[in-house]
PDB file of all heavy atoms in Angstrom:
ATOM      1  N   VAL A1414       0.844  -1.197   0.000  1.00 93.00           N
ATOM      2  CA  VAL A1414       0.000   0.000   0.000  1.00 93.00           C
ATOM      3  C   VAL A1414       0.881   1.250   0.000  1.00 93.00           C
ATOM      4  O   VAL A1414       0.632   2.206  -0.747  1.00 93.00           O
ATOM      5  CB  VAL A1414      -0.964  -0.010   1.207  1.00 93.00           C
ATOM      6  CG1 VAL A1414      -1.650   1.335   1.374  1.00 93.00           C
ATOM      7  CG2 VAL A1414      -2.005  -1.117   1.041  1.00 93.00           C
ATOM      8  N   GLU A1415       1.917   1.248   0.811  1.00 93.00           N
ATOM      9  CA  GLU A1415       2.824   2.400   0.884  1.00 93.00           C
ATOM     10  C   GLU A1415       3.513   2.650  -0.456  1.00 93.00           C
ATOM     11  O   GLU A1415       3.642   3.797  -0.892  1.00 93.00           O
ATOM     12  CB  GLU A1415       3.858   2.195   1.983  1.00 93.00           C
ATOM     13  CG  GLU A1415       4.878   3.312   2.090  1.00 93.00           C
ATOM     14  CD  GLU A1415       4.287   4.698   2.242  1.00 93.00           C
ATOM     15  OE1 GLU A1415       3.201   4.834   2.856  1.00 93.00           O
ATOM     16  OE2 GLU A1415       4.900   5.665   1.738  1.00 93.00           O
ATOM     17  N   ARG A1416       3.942   1.606  -1.109  1.00 90.00           N
ATOM     18  CA  ARG A1416       4.588   1.771  -2.422  1.00 90.00           C
ATOM     19  C   ARG A1416       3.617   2.389  -3.434  1.00 90.00           C
ATOM     20  O   ARG A1416       3.992   3.258  -4.213  1.00 90.00           O
ATOM     21  CB  ARG A1416       5.091   0.433  -2.943  1.00 90.00           C
ATOM     22  CG  ARG A1416       6.294  -0.072  -2.194  1.00 90.00           C
ATOM     23  CD  ARG A1416       6.696  -1.423  -2.715  1.00 90.00           C
ATOM     24  NE  ARG A1416       7.705  -2.016  -1.876  1.00 90.00           N
ATOM     25  CZ  ARG A1416       8.662  -2.796  -2.325  1.00 90.00           C
ATOM     26  NH1 ARG A1416       8.722  -3.099  -3.603  1.00 90.00           N
ATOM     27  NH2 ARG A1416       9.542  -3.300  -1.499  1.00 90.00           N
ATOM     28  N   ALA A1417       2.378   1.925  -3.428  1.00 90.00           N
ATOM     29  CA  ALA A1417       1.379   2.487  -4.345  1.00 90.00           C
ATOM     30  C   ALA A1417       1.144   3.964  -4.028  1.00 90.00           C
ATOM     31  O   ALA A1417       1.057   4.795  -4.937  1.00 90.00           O
ATOM     32  CB  ALA A1417       0.079   1.690  -4.254  1.00 90.00           C
ATOM     33  N   ARG A1418       1.041   4.295  -2.747  1.00 91.00           N
ATOM     34  CA  ARG A1418       0.831   5.691  -2.348  1.00 91.00           C
ATOM     35  C   ARG A1418       1.973   6.582  -2.804  1.00 91.00           C
ATOM     36  O   ARG A1418       1.746   7.699  -3.273  1.00 91.00           O
ATOM     37  CB  ARG A1418       0.699   5.785  -0.830  1.00 91.00           C
ATOM     38  CG  ARG A1418      -0.656   5.448  -0.320  1.00 91.00           C
ATOM     39  CD  ARG A1418      -0.733   5.795   1.150  1.00 91.00           C
ATOM     40  NE  ARG A1418      -1.991   5.323   1.682  1.00 91.00           N
ATOM     41  CZ  ARG A1418      -2.161   4.835   2.885  1.00 91.00           C
ATOM     42  NH1 ARG A1418      -1.141   4.755   3.721  1.00 91.00           N
ATOM     43  NH2 ARG A1418      -3.337   4.438   3.293  1.00 91.00           N
ATOM     44  N   ARG A1419       3.209   6.102  -2.631  1.00 92.00           N
ATOM     45  CA  ARG A1419       4.382   6.892  -3.023  1.00 92.00           C
ATOM     46  C   ARG A1419       4.343   7.256  -4.506  1.00 92.00           C
ATOM     47  O   ARG A1419       4.861   8.290  -4.909  1.00 92.00           O
ATOM     48  CB  ARG A1419       5.667   6.119  -2.751  1.00 92.00           C
ATOM     49  CG  ARG A1419       6.296   6.451  -1.438  1.00 92.00           C
ATOM     50  CD  ARG A1419       7.621   5.788  -1.339  1.00 92.00           C
ATOM     51  NE  ARG A1419       7.376   4.344  -1.453  1.00 92.00           N
ATOM     52  CZ  ARG A1419       8.228   3.403  -1.156  1.00 92.00           C
ATOM     53  NH1 ARG A1419       9.430   3.703  -0.765  1.00 92.00           N
ATOM     54  NH2 ARG A1419       7.916   2.140  -1.258  1.00 92.00           N
ATOM     55  N   HIS A1420       3.733   6.396  -5.305  1.00 90.00           N
ATOM     56  CA  HIS A1420       3.668   6.620  -6.750  1.00 90.00           C
ATOM     57  C   HIS A1420       2.292   7.122  -7.186  1.00 90.00           C
ATOM     58  O   HIS A1420       1.994   7.154  -8.380  1.00 90.00           O
ATOM     59  CB  HIS A1420       4.034   5.337  -7.501  1.00 90.00           C
ATOM     60  CG  HIS A1420       5.459   4.938  -7.290  1.00 90.00           C
ATOM     61  ND1 HIS A1420       6.505   5.549  -7.928  1.00 90.00           N
ATOM     62  CD2 HIS A1420       6.014   4.011  -6.477  1.00 90.00           C
ATOM     63  CE1 HIS A1420       7.644   5.011  -7.542  1.00 90.00           C
ATOM     64  NE2 HIS A1420       7.371   4.070  -6.655  1.00 90.00           N
ATOM     65  N   ASN A1421       1.472   7.525  -6.218  1.00 90.00           N
ATOM     66  CA  ASN A1421       0.133   8.045  -6.528  1.00 90.00           C
ATOM     67  C   ASN A1421      -0.692   7.086  -7.371  1.00 90.00           C
ATOM     68  O   ASN A1421      -1.360   7.493  -8.310  1.00 90.00           O
ATOM     69  CB  ASN A1421       0.247   9.379  -7.254  1.00 90.00           C
ATOM     70  CG  ASN A1421      -0.194  10.521  -6.393  1.00 90.00           C
ATOM     71  OD1 ASN A1421      -0.699  10.320  -5.292  1.00 90.00           O
ATOM     72  ND2 ASN A1421       0.006  11.717  -6.892  1.00 90.00           N
ATOM     73  N   ARG A1422      -0.627   5.800  -7.037  1.00 90.00           N
ATOM     74  CA  ARG A1422      -1.321   4.774  -7.805  1.00 90.00           C
ATOM     75  C   ARG A1422      -2.416   4.138  -6.958  1.00 90.00           C
ATOM     76  O   ARG A1422      -2.250   3.967  -5.745  1.00 90.00           O
ATOM     77  CB  ARG A1422      -0.338   3.677  -8.249  1.00 90.00           C
ATOM     78  CG  ARG A1422       0.863   4.169  -9.053  1.00 90.00           C
ATOM     79  CD  ARG A1422       0.490   4.756 -10.377  1.00 90.00           C
ATOM     80  NE  ARG A1422      -0.137   3.720 -11.179  1.00 90.00           N
ATOM     81  CZ  ARG A1422      -1.013   3.945 -12.142  1.00 90.00           C
ATOM     82  NH1 ARG A1422      -1.338   5.159 -12.456  1.00 90.00           N
ATOM     83  NH2 ARG A1422      -1.535   2.956 -12.810  1.00 90.00           N
ATOM     84  N   PRO A1423      -3.524   3.761  -7.569  1.00 91.00           N
ATOM     85  CA  PRO A1423      -4.536   2.997  -6.828  1.00 91.00           C
ATOM     86  C   PRO A1423      -4.008   1.596  -6.549  1.00 91.00           C
ATOM     87  O   PRO A1423      -3.115   1.107  -7.241  1.00 91.00           O
ATOM     88  CB  PRO A1423      -5.725   2.961  -7.796  1.00 91.00           C
ATOM     89  CG  PRO A1423      -5.118   3.124  -9.150  1.00 91.00           C
ATOM     90  CD  PRO A1423      -3.882   3.974  -8.971  1.00 91.00           C
ATOM     91  N   ILE A1424      -4.572   0.972  -5.526  1.00 91.00           N
ATOM     92  CA  ILE A1424      -4.184  -0.411  -5.206  1.00 91.00           C
ATOM     93  C   ILE A1424      -5.440  -1.197  -4.854  1.00 91.00           C
ATOM     94  O   ILE A1424      -6.178  -0.843  -3.933  1.00 91.00           O
ATOM     95  CB  ILE A1424      -3.118  -0.475  -4.095  1.00 91.00           C
ATOM     96  CG1 ILE A1424      -2.681  -1.917  -3.846  1.00 91.00           C
ATOM     97  CG2 ILE A1424      -3.560   0.240  -2.840  1.00 91.00           C
ATOM     98  CD1 ILE A1424      -1.414  -2.056  -3.028  1.00 91.00           C
ATOM     99  N   ALA A1425      -5.709  -2.214  -5.629  1.00 91.00           N
ATOM    100  CA  ALA A1425      -6.905  -3.034  -5.442  1.00 91.00           C
ATOM    101  C   ALA A1425      -6.511  -4.418  -4.946  1.00 91.00           C
ATOM    102  O   ALA A1425      -5.493  -4.967  -5.350  1.00 91.00           O
ATOM    103  CB  ALA A1425      -7.677  -3.158  -6.754  1.00 91.00           C
ATOM    104  N   ALA A1426      -7.324  -4.961  -4.060  1.00 92.00           N
ATOM    105  CA  ALA A1426      -7.112  -6.319  -3.553  1.00 92.00           C
ATOM    106  C   ALA A1426      -8.155  -7.244  -4.171  1.00 92.00           C
ATOM    107  O   ALA A1426      -9.339  -6.894  -4.237  1.00 92.00           O
ATOM    108  CB  ALA A1426      -7.237  -6.344  -2.033  1.00 92.00           C
ATOM    109  N   LEU A1427      -7.702  -8.394  -4.611  1.00 92.00           N
ATOM    110  CA  LEU A1427      -8.617  -9.460  -5.028  1.00 92.00           C
ATOM    111  C   LEU A1427      -8.636 -10.452  -3.889  1.00 92.00           C
ATOM    112  O   LEU A1427      -7.597 -11.002  -3.514  1.00 92.00           O
ATOM    113  CB  LEU A1427      -8.128 -10.133  -6.312  1.00 92.00           C
ATOM    114  CG  LEU A1427      -8.007  -9.238  -7.530  1.00 92.00           C
ATOM    115  CD1 LEU A1427      -7.509 -10.044  -8.720  1.00 92.00           C
ATOM    116  CD2 LEU A1427      -9.331  -8.577  -7.855  1.00 92.00           C
ATOM    117  N   ARG A1428      -9.799 -10.689  -3.333  1.00 92.00           N
ATOM    118  CA  ARG A1428      -9.930 -11.530  -2.141  1.00 92.00           C
ATOM    119  C   ARG A1428     -10.519 -12.880  -2.533  1.00 92.00           C
ATOM    120  O   ARG A1428     -11.685 -12.986  -2.885  1.00 92.00           O
ATOM    121  CB  ARG A1428     -10.822 -10.821  -1.128  1.00 92.00           C
ATOM    122  CG  ARG A1428     -10.840 -11.431   0.220  1.00 92.00           C
ATOM    123  CD  ARG A1428     -11.568 -10.488   1.201  1.00 92.00           C
ATOM    124  NE  ARG A1428     -11.577 -11.050   2.522  1.00 92.00           N
ATOM    125  CZ  ARG A1428     -12.575 -11.776   3.017  1.00 92.00           C
ATOM    126  NH1 ARG A1428     -13.652 -11.997   2.285  1.00 92.00           N
ATOM    127  NH2 ARG A1428     -12.502 -12.275   4.224  1.00 92.00           N
ATOM    128  N   PHE A1429      -9.680 -13.908  -2.467  1.00 89.00           N
ATOM    129  CA  PHE A1429     -10.090 -15.291  -2.726  1.00 89.00           C
ATOM    130  C   PHE A1429     -10.130 -15.988  -1.373  1.00 89.00           C
ATOM    131  O   PHE A1429      -9.138 -15.965  -0.650  1.00 89.00           O
ATOM    132  CB  PHE A1429      -9.047 -16.019  -3.579  1.00 89.00           C
ATOM    133  CG  PHE A1429      -8.846 -15.447  -4.945  1.00 89.00           C
ATOM    134  CD1 PHE A1429      -8.033 -14.339  -5.143  1.00 89.00           C
ATOM    135  CD2 PHE A1429      -9.455 -16.027  -6.045  1.00 89.00           C
ATOM    136  CE1 PHE A1429      -7.826 -13.825  -6.409  1.00 89.00           C
ATOM    137  CE2 PHE A1429      -9.251 -15.513  -7.315  1.00 89.00           C
ATOM    138  CZ  PHE A1429      -8.435 -14.410  -7.500  1.00 89.00           C
ATOM    139  N   LEU A1430     -11.231 -16.617  -1.038  1.00 87.00           N
ATOM    140  CA  LEU A1430     -11.279 -17.283   0.259  1.00 87.00           C
ATOM    141  C   LEU A1430     -12.113 -18.560   0.182  1.00 87.00           C
ATOM    142  O   LEU A1430     -13.275 -18.592   0.554  1.00 87.00           O
ATOM    143  CB  LEU A1430     -11.840 -16.352   1.332  1.00 87.00           C
ATOM    144  CG  LEU A1430     -11.675 -16.848   2.757  1.00 87.00           C
ATOM    145  CD1 LEU A1430     -10.199 -17.041   3.115  1.00 87.00           C
ATOM    146  CD2 LEU A1430     -12.304 -15.876   3.730  1.00 87.00           C
ATOM    147  N   PRO A1431     -11.508 -19.650  -0.312  1.00 87.00           N
ATOM    148  CA  PRO A1431     -12.234 -20.927  -0.304  1.00 87.00           C
ATOM    149  C   PRO A1431     -12.378 -21.444   1.124  1.00 87.00           C
ATOM    150  O   PRO A1431     -11.679 -20.981   2.034  1.00 87.00           O
ATOM    151  CB  PRO A1431     -11.341 -21.846  -1.143  1.00 87.00           C
ATOM    152  CG  PRO A1431      -9.996 -21.223  -1.128  1.00 87.00           C
ATOM    153  CD  PRO A1431     -10.177 -19.756  -0.874  1.00 87.00           C
ATOM    154  N   ASP A1432     -13.265 -22.384   1.312  1.00 93.00           N
ATOM    155  CA  ASP A1432     -13.431 -23.008   2.628  1.00 93.00           C
ATOM    156  C   ASP A1432     -12.127 -23.652   3.063  1.00 93.00           C
ATOM    157  O   ASP A1432     -11.352 -24.147   2.239  1.00 93.00           O
ATOM    158  CB  ASP A1432     -14.512 -24.095   2.580  1.00 93.00           C
ATOM    159  CG  ASP A1432     -15.904 -23.533   2.360  1.00 93.00           C
ATOM    160  OD1 ASP A1432     -16.176 -22.417   2.820  1.00 93.00           O
ATOM    161  OD2 ASP A1432     -16.700 -24.234   1.709  1.00 93.00           O
ATOM    162  N   LEU A1433     -11.901 -23.675   4.375  1.00 95.00           N
ATOM    163  CA  LEU A1433     -10.697 -24.301   4.908  1.00 95.00           C
ATOM    164  C   LEU A1433     -10.620 -25.764   4.491  1.00 95.00           C
ATOM    165  O   LEU A1433      -9.545 -26.255   4.134  1.00 95.00           O
ATOM    166  CB  LEU A1433     -10.649 -24.172   6.433  1.00 95.00           C
ATOM    167  CG  LEU A1433      -9.459 -24.821   7.114  1.00 95.00           C
ATOM    168  CD1 LEU A1433      -8.144 -24.260   6.580  1.00 95.00           C
ATOM    169  CD2 LEU A1433      -9.559 -24.648   8.618  1.00 95.00           C
ATOM    170  N   SER A1434     -11.755 -26.459   4.484  1.00 96.00           N
ATOM    171  CA  SER A1434     -11.745 -27.874   4.091  1.00 96.00           C
ATOM    172  C   SER A1434     -11.267 -28.041   2.646  1.00 96.00           C
ATOM    173  O   SER A1434     -10.538 -28.984   2.330  1.00 96.00           O
ATOM    174  CB  SER A1434     -13.125 -28.502   4.281  1.00 96.00           C
ATOM    175  OG  SER A1434     -14.085 -27.825   3.499  1.00 96.00           O
ATOM    176  N   THR A1435     -11.636 -27.125   1.769  1.00 94.00           N
ATOM    177  CA  THR A1435     -11.171 -27.155   0.378  1.00 94.00           C
ATOM    178  C   THR A1435      -9.666 -26.935   0.323  1.00 94.00           C
ATOM    179  O   THR A1435      -8.944 -27.641  -0.406  1.00 94.00           O
ATOM    180  CB  THR A1435     -11.899 -26.080  -0.450  1.00 94.00           C
ATOM    181  OG1 THR A1435     -13.301 -26.336  -0.416  1.00 94.00           O
ATOM    182  CG2 THR A1435     -11.418 -26.071  -1.891  1.00 94.00           C
ATOM    183  N   CYS A1436      -9.171 -25.973   1.096  1.00 94.00           N
ATOM    184  CA  CYS A1436      -7.725 -25.698   1.125  1.00 94.00           C
ATOM    185  C   CYS A1436      -6.954 -26.921   1.619  1.00 94.00           C
ATOM    186  O   CYS A1436      -5.924 -27.285   1.031  1.00 94.00           O
ATOM    187  CB  CYS A1436      -7.433 -24.509   2.038  1.00 94.00           C
ATOM    188  SG  CYS A1436      -8.122 -22.947   1.449  1.00 94.00           S
ATOM    189  N   LEU A1437      -7.443 -27.535   2.681  1.00 96.00           N
ATOM    190  CA  LEU A1437      -6.757 -28.711   3.230  1.00 96.00           C
ATOM    191  C   LEU A1437      -6.770 -29.874   2.241  1.00 96.00           C
ATOM    192  O   LEU A1437      -5.765 -30.568   2.073  1.00 96.00           O
ATOM    193  CB  LEU A1437      -7.386 -29.121   4.563  1.00 96.00           C
ATOM    194  CG  LEU A1437      -7.162 -28.142   5.725  1.00 96.00           C
ATOM    195  CD1 LEU A1437      -8.076 -28.471   6.886  1.00 96.00           C
ATOM    196  CD2 LEU A1437      -5.702 -28.139   6.152  1.00 96.00           C
ATOM    197  N   ALA A1438      -7.902 -30.074   1.572  1.00 96.00           N
ATOM    198  CA  ALA A1438      -7.998 -31.168   0.592  1.00 96.00           C
ATOM    199  C   ALA A1438      -7.069 -30.934  -0.592  1.00 96.00           C
ATOM    200  O   ALA A1438      -6.375 -31.855  -1.036  1.00 96.00           O
ATOM    201  CB  ALA A1438      -9.445 -31.315   0.115  1.00 96.00           C
TER     202      ALA A1438
END
Protein backbone atom coordinates (compact mmCIF):
# COMPACT_ATOMS: atom_id res chain seq x y z
CA VAL A 1 0.00 0.00 0.00
CA GLU A 2 2.82 2.40 0.88
CA ARG A 3 4.59 1.77 -2.42
CA ALA A 4 1.38 2.49 -4.34
CA ARG A 5 0.83 5.69 -2.35
CA ARG A 6 4.38 6.89 -3.02
CA HIS A 7 3.67 6.62 -6.75
CA ASN A 8 0.13 8.04 -6.53
CA ARG A 9 -1.32 4.77 -7.80
CA PRO A 10 -4.54 3.00 -6.83
CA ILE A 11 -4.18 -0.41 -5.21
CA ALA A 12 -6.91 -3.03 -5.44
CA ALA A 13 -7.11 -6.32 -3.55
CA LEU A 14 -8.62 -9.46 -5.03
CA ARG A 15 -9.93 -11.53 -2.14
CA PHE A 16 -10.09 -15.29 -2.73
CA LEU A 17 -11.28 -17.28 0.26
CA PRO A 18 -12.23 -20.93 -0.30
CA ASP A 19 -13.43 -23.01 2.63
CA LEU A 20 -10.70 -24.30 4.91
CA SER A 21 -11.75 -27.87 4.09
CA THR A 22 -11.17 -27.16 0.38
CA CYS A 23 -7.73 -25.70 1.12
CA LEU A 24 -6.76 -28.71 3.23
CA ALA A 25 -8.00 -31.17 0.59
